[in-house]
């Protein structure tokens, strides 16, 4: 088997058929489609079973209770027989030749372990399509380069990867949201080469998605980042990060600190949307996260910039951030 595609499904009946049709129509025939129903309450499971009855390449798994995409995908990963693995969300779709082109990109490049898809973003509310702007002129990257670019998503996280890498590093299940970012970065980091392919992934953009909604779950982003830090520390202890170990840890800690400040910016602007109990939970999370920041790793140009000093005390951090963001808003309003 050449490729296994993992699709986690939860109440996706509105778009599921277009997703599955794009799998059936792939020009690469030596494929396995593993669809994991994550305890859907709509007709998703029956739709999956309908396709499986017509096409033996489909393997349908059903989870008795909803556990989230990462756990669902890991269940599918256990059954993967393909040489390579790709992920397709249940509301997205592939172009007919996507898998064939992705495999060609890997197999025509010595030492390549990962092929990044060309990503088209489809905005339902605007009725427009845009290509995701990958911010590199290179078509071949080292694993470290891909990891570095993925920190600010100059390189997105939709790709085909060798099954041996994916099964060694399954999906991070530490959070319901955001932890799949960690899996992408670990896969890139452990790839000898990452190539950019012309294989197209069509990504449906929803304005009311969980990651864009005003929810306390948004602050899981900090938990996911901390989980990634722990994974990198474990990899370093095992000697898996090589000579770039210190640079990797420094880069990620700076990235994580920027995200903590960014999360507080979100909290500052949306505090009134949260109940008093939720505010206590959020502020306790910030207090906990501040104790995990390794101040010596934060670069001086960031650390000594107003609003970015990594105070360990939450009250001091919050007071400085509130002042910083108040001034930012005042300056913005003045310019407008």
């Amino acid at each position: 088997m050449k490729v296994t595609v993992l699709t986690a499904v939860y109440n996706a009946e509105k778009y599921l058929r277009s997703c599955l049709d794009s799998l059936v129509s792939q020009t690469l025939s030596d494929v396995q489609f593993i669809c994991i129903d994550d305890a859907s309450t709509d007709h998703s499971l029956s739709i999956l079973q309908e396709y499986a009855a017509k096409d033996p390449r489909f393997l349908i798994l059903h989870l008795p209770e909803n556990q989230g995409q990462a756990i669902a995908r890991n269940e599918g990963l256990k059954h993967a027989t393909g040489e390579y693995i790709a992920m397709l969300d249940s509301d997205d779709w592939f172009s007919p030749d996507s898998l064939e082109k992705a495999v060609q990109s890997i197999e025509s490049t010595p030492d390549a372990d990962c092929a990044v898809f060309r990503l088209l973003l489809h905005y339902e509310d605007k009725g427009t399509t845009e290509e995701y702007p990958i911010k590199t002129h290179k078509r071949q990257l080292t694993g470290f380069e891909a990891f570095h670019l993925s920190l600010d998503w100059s390189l997105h996280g939709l790709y085909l990867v060798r099954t041996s890498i994916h099964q060694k590093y399954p999906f991070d299940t530490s959070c319901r949201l955001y932890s799949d970012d960690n899996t992408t970065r670990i896969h890139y980091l452990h790839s000898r080469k990452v190539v950019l392919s012309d294989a197209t992934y069509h990504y449906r953009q929803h304005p009311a998605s969980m990651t864009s909604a005003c929810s306390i779950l948004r602050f899981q982003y900090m938990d996911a980042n901390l989980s990634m830090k722990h994974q990198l520390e474990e990899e370093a202890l095992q000697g898996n990060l090589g000579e770039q170990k210190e640079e990797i840890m420094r880069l990620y800690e700076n990235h994580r600190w920027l995200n903590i400040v960014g999360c507080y910016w979100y909290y500052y602007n949306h505090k009134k949307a949260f109940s008093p109990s939720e505010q206590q939970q959020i502020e306790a999370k910030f207090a906990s996260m501040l104790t995990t920041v390794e101040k010596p790793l934060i670069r001086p140009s960031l650390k000594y910039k107003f609003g970015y000093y990594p105070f360990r005390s939450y009250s001091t951090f919050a007071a400085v951030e509130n002042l910083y963001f108040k001034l930012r808003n005042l300056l913005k309003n003045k310019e407008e």
Side-chain angles (χ1 to χ4, degrees), residues 20 27 70 83 86 95-96 138 158 172 181 197 205 210 212 223 234 241 245 259-260 268 274 278 292 306 320 322 324:
L20 302 180
T27 55
E83 185 179 350
S95 289
K138 295 183 177 181
L158 291 163
D172 182 347
D181 295 354
S197 77
Q205 299 287 288
M210 181 62 74
S212 62
D223 297 310
E234 182 63 25
L241 299 185
K245 174 181 67 176
N259 285 342
I260 291 174
Y268 176 85
F274 301 103
E278 288 176 325
T292 69
F306 180 53
V320 172
N322 289 341
Y324 171 56

Side-chain angles (χ1 to χ4, degrees), residues 233-289:
E233 288 172 337
E234 182 63 25
E235 290 294 287
L237 283 174
Q238 294 178 7
N240 295 333
L241 299 185
E243 296 178 356
Q244 294 170 309
K245 174 181 67 176
E246 293 182 3
E247 177 68 1
I248 289 167
M249 299 306 300
R250 185 188 65 79
L251 282 170
Y252 194 75
E253 193 67 347
N254 279 268
H255 165 77
R256 194 169 74 92
W257 173 237
L258 284 170
N259 285 342
I260 291 174
V261 174
C263 283
Y264 195 84
W265 168 242
Y266 180 84
Y267 182 54
Y268 176 85
N269 286 312
H270 299 89
K271 186 174 182 178
K272 292 180 180 178
F274 301 103
S275 68
S277 174
E278 288 176 325
Q279 290 178 22
Q280 288 182 351
Q281 293 178 56
I282 293 166
E283 290 171 12
K285 187 182 292 293
F286 277 112
S288 175
M289 287 296 162

Side-chain angles (χ1 to χ4, degrees), residues 16-31:
L16 186 54
R17 289 185 184 278
S18 63
C19 170
L20 302 180
D21 286 342
S22 79
L23 294 176
V24 172
S25 64
Q26 287 300 299
T27 55
L28 182 70
S29 59
D30 190 18
V31 289

Side-chain angles (χ1 to χ4, degrees), residues 162-301:
R162 288 191 188 276
T163 302
S164 56
I165 292 176
H166 207 325
Q167 290 184 333
K168 185 176 181 180
Y169 301 102
F171 291 102
D172 182 347
T173 59
S174 60
C175 303
R176 295 277 291 203
L177 296 175
Y178 306 113
S179 59
D180 55 347
D181 295 354
N182 301 345
T183 306
T184 291
R185 289 162 177 155
I186 286 289
H187 288 174
Y188 284 160
L189 197 54
H190 290 293
S191 293
R192 294 166 298 174
K193 284 183 184 175
V194 175
V195 296
L196 272 59
S197 77
D198 294 322
T200 305
Y201 185 111
H202 299 268
Y203 189 3
R204 200 185 303 271
Q205 299 287 288
H206 302 288
S209 69
M210 181 62 74
T211 53
S212 62
C214 189
S215 165
I216 194 171
L217 293 177
R218 178 178 285 264
F219 299 97
Q220 284 191 3
Y221 195 32
M222 293 186 288
D223 297 310
N225 283 180
L226 184 59
S227 174
M228 180 67 181
K229 177 180 179 177
H230 292 330
Q231 289 180 61
L232 291 173
E233 288 172 337
E234 182 63 25
E235 290 294 287
L237 283 174
Q238 294 178 7
N240 295 333
L241 299 185
E243 296 178 356
Q244 294 170 309
K245 174 181 67 176
E246 293 182 3
E247 177 68 1
I248 289 167
M249 299 306 300
R250 185 188 65 79
L251 282 170
Y252 194 75
E253 193 67 347
N254 279 268
H255 165 77
R256 194 169 74 92
W257 173 237
L258 284 170
N259 285 342
I260 291 174
V261 174
C263 283
Y264 195 84
W265 168 242
Y266 180 84
Y267 182 54
Y268 176 85
N269 286 312
H270 299 89
K271 186 174 182 178
K272 292 180 180 178
F274 301 103
S275 68
S277 174
E278 288 176 325
Q279 290 178 22
Q280 288 182 351
Q281 293 178 56
I282 293 166
E283 290 171 12
K285 187 182 292 293
F286 277 112
S288 175
M289 287 296 162
L290 290 174
T291 67
T292 69
V293 178
E294 293 186 67
K295 195 182 300 184
L297 295 182
I298 307 302
R299 63 181 185 270
S301 61

Side-chain angles (χ1 to χ4, degrees), residues 34-71:
I34 301 180
C35 301
I36 312 95
D37 177 64
D38 194 16
S40 295
T41 57
D42 64 1
H43 295 97
S44 293
L45 180 58
S46 61
I47 293 171
L48 293 173
Q49 291 170 337
E50 173 192 328
Y51 276 75
K54 298 176 182 177
D55 191 330
R57 295 176 299 176
F58 281 93
L59 171 63
I60 310 303
L61 305 178
H62 173 66
L63 303 185
E65 59 183 41
N66 181 259
Q67 300 185 67
Q69 282 193 333
I71 291 176

